[in-house]
């Protein structure tokens, strides 16, 4: 069995690079509440544990509050074996835990010469040697990323799940029942934001639709309102234009609308950006270069050197997390990549979550800048004469009864 919760953004005003105890703690608490388990039911914690003093201390403090009253909880991290696997780090931790369950062994954490001082006084003990996994096979797995991506996954062996189902089975489960399910809730659009073509508002987009007059040339600039902006403009200059374009569309779509912080989701549909491959080309160029001066010029000709703001500016999860941070929201936040269907898929996910009561509001966006050379080459290869377009559109949704 598996239960998964995202905690969204954390403390108000924190930068996208700073870990948040609040967001991490909320992700853990939501997961255990959803699973119907107590932290004391967990036999192993696979931590995010990047090995940075501040990051690990933050994680230990947030976990300690959730596991308060527990004792001797074993913790570890796969990063001690393989290093940081970046976007695959979370799933790698899951594979480790599943293998540990299969072998009935809790694996050790390696190469810890000096444990983090924040471990002192916590309910946790660092696994230094392998030990037999006795008792229920249940584990918690954390993955915390830039931008407020805080995820906690609870897994248990199939035998545990089946045993629990047998233990809690009721005679009523064998009787027939008649379903009286109510019709799905109607979802309403309560806000719209748009940056389409050269337009700077939903009104500009509507005017283009009604008049048939629009400028479909490549967009050269994104105007970002400085009033209330929560990010350094210099950092936004290093971001992909998709991020700044959808950010402004979201600010427009949310204007004047009451959004409950923990009950509002942000889902942004955005296809994979092929331009990010330029950074890999910049790095690999050194493999074939002997002239240092030529190498420096050639690298900058491919793409400028990546600064910290640019790192965040190229991460695929950040478009949604940046909106969360800007609007001070703390619900689930995802960037959904399904190429041309990305926006529609995000809309379907948000609508389903609203109808099932998982959330009370959602900002759903779709963004693409299609004038890049790789897009044009792809259109030509497919024999399409369609002109590319640059656009970001965001809808704010609520259940009609709530709206």
């Amino acid at each position: 069995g598996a239960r998964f919760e995202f905690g969204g953004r954390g403390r108000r005003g924190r930068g996208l690079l700073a870990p948040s105890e609040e967001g991490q703690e909320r992700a853990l608490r939501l997961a255990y509440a959803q699973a119907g388990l107590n932290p004391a039911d967990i036999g192993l914690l696979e931590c995010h544990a990047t090995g940075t003093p501040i990051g690990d201390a933050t994680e230990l403090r947030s976990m300690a509050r959730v596991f308060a009253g527990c004792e001797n909880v074993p913790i570890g991290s796969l990063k001690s074996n393989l290093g940081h696997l970046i976007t695959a780090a979370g799933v790698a931790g899951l594979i480790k835990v599943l293998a540990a369950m299969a072998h009935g062994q809790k694996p050790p954490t390696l190469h810890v010469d000096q444990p983090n001082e924040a471990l002192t006084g916590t309910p946790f003990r660092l696994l230094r040697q392998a030990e037999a996994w006795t008792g229920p096979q249940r584990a918690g797995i954390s993955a915390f990323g830039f931008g407020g991506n805080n995820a906690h996954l609870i897994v248990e062996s199939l035998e545990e799940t089946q045993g629990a189902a047998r233990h809690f089975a009721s005679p009523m489960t064998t009787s027939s029942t008649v379903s009286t399910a109510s019709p799905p809730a109607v979802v309403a659009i309560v806000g719209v934001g748009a940056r389409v073509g050269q337009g700077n508002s939903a009104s500009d987009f509507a005017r283009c639709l009604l008049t048939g007059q629009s400028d479909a040339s490549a967009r050269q600039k994104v105007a970002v309102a400085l009033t209330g902006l929560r990010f350094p403009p210099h950092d936004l200059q290093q971001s992909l234009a998709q991020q700044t374009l959808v950010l402004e569309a979201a600010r427009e779509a949310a204007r004047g609308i009451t959004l409950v912080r923990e009950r509002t989701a942000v889902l942004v549909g955005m296809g994979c950006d092929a331009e990010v491959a330029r950074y890999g080309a910049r790095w690999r160029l050194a493999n074939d270069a002997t002239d240092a001066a030529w190498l420096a010029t050639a690298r900058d000709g491919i793409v400028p050197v990546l600064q910290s703001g640019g790192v965040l500016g190229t991460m695929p999860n950040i478009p949604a997390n940046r909106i969360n941070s800007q609007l001070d929201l703390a619900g689930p936040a995802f960037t959904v990549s399904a190429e041309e269907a990305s926006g529609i898929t995000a809309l379907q996910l948000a609508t389903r979550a609203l109808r099932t009561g998982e959330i009370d509001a959602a900002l759903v966006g779709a963004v693409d800048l299609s004038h890049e050379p790789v897009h044009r080459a792809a259109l030509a290869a497919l024999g399409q004469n369609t002109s590319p377009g640059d656009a970001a559109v965001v809808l704010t949704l609520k259940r009609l009864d709530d709206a």
Side-chain angles (χ1 to χ4, degrees):
R3 288 93 175 183
F4 205 24
E5 273 297 339
F6 274 78
R9 276 300 304 159
R11 188 182 307 165
R12 294 168 172 82
R14 295 291 298 272
L16 293 179
L17 287 169
S20 164
E21 292 180 36
E22 182 206 345
Q24 293 174 7
E25 181 180 349
R26 187 168 59 252
L28 269 71
R29 292 194 185 279
L30 286 169
Y32 290 105
Q34 186 188 89
L37 293 171
N38 293 315
D41 297 324
I42 297 300
L44 175 66
L45 274 176
E46 171 68 13
C47 303
H48 181 63
T50 57
T52 61
I54 294 177
D56 287 2
T58 300
E59 182 175 5
L60 286 166
R61 286 193 298 269
S62 60
M63 290 196 308
R65 283 195 291 272
V66 175
F67 281 78
C70 299
E71 294 181 356
N72 208 31
V73 181
I75 65 173
S77 174
L78 181 66
K79 291 181 179 66
S80 75
N81 304 85
L82 296 179
H84 201 324
L85 299 184
I86 315 299
T87 52
V91 73
L94 172 61
I95 293 170
K96 168 194 167 180
V97 167
L98 296 180
M101 288 180 174
H103 290 277
Q105 293 279 321
K106 298 177 183 178
T109 293
L110 310 178
H111 313 301
V112 182
D113 299 322
Q114 185 175 353
N116 195 301
E117 293 181 357
L119 266 170
T120 305
T122 69
F124 312 116
R125 63 180 177 88
L126 186 64
L127 278 171
R128 308 296 290 267
Q129 295 179 332
E131 57 186 55
W133 195 323
T134 57
Q137 288 191 334
R138 297 191 190 97
I141 304 163
S142 291
F144 304 141
F146 287 142
N149 264 13
N150 297 313
H152 190 70
L153 176 70
I154 303 172
V155 295
E156 63 183 7
S157 68
L158 182 61
E159 289 77 11
E160 297 291 340
T161 304
Q162 291 173 332
R166 287 193 297 270
H167 180 71
F168 292 110
S170 163
M172 292 297 292
T173 60
T174 60
S175 63
S176 60
T177 58
V178 178
S179 174
T180 57
S182 58
V186 177
V187 175
I189 299 172
V190 297
V192 180
R195 299 293 185 272
V196 179
Q198 305 304 315
N200 287 309
S201 67
S203 297
D204 289 346
F205 182 36
R207 192 176 305 110
C208 291
L209 289 175
L210 294 172
T211 64
Q213 299 177 349
S214 63
D215 183 354
S217 61
R219 190 172 186 116
Q220 301 299 322
K221 294 181 180 179
V222 179
V224 177
L226 293 180
T227 303
L229 186 64
R230 295 191 170 203
F231 308 104
H234 178 71
D235 286 358
L236 290 181
Q237 284 182 325
Q238 298 180 55
S239 299
L240 291 176
Q242 284 92 326
Q243 288 192 24
T244 48
L245 204 63
V246 77
L247 172 66
E248 289 305 287
R251 294 171 78 182
E252 181 184 16
R255 193 172 299 138
I257 298 173
T258 300
L259 299 171
V260 179
R261 187 171 185 256
E262 279 79 15
R263 299 282 296 169
T264 302
V266 177
L267 296 96
V268 176
M270 188 177 86
C272 298
D273 184 65
E275 291 294 299
V276 77
R278 291 181 178 273
Y279 294 102
R282 178 188 172 97
W283 300 328
R284 288 191 298 272
L285 203 61
N287 296 335
D288 302 314
T290 56
D291 186 326
W294 175 89
L295 176 61
T297 302
R299 278 180 158 178
D300 289 342
I302 294 174
V303 69
V305 65
L306 201 58
Q307 306 290 341
S308 61
V311 173
L312 283 173
T314 59
M315 287 184 174
N317 61 295
I318 295 296
N321 295 139
R322 194 181 289 281
I323 293 170
N324 248 16
S325 185
Q326 173 64 42
L327 300 179
D328 193 24
L329 301 174
F334 302 92
T335 299
V336 179
S337 293
E339 293 309 318
E340 294 89 344
S342 297
I344 296 297
T345 303
L347 185 61
Q348 291 170 338
L349 291 170
T351 301
R352 185 177 69 185
L354 283 165
R355 286 175 171 162
T356 57
E358 296 176 58
I359 57 175
D360 293 331
L363 275 79
V364 182
V367 60
D368 198 10
L369 280 84
S370 299
H371 282 275
E372 287 119 335
V374 67
H375 282 271
R376 292 180 175 275
L379 284 173
L382 292 171
Q384 299 292 323
N385 296 320
T386 307
S387 298
D390 297 341
V393 177
V394 177
L395 309 178
T396 303
L397 307 178
K398 291 187 176 184
R399 288 180 293 274
L400 182 60
D401 290 345
D402 296 334

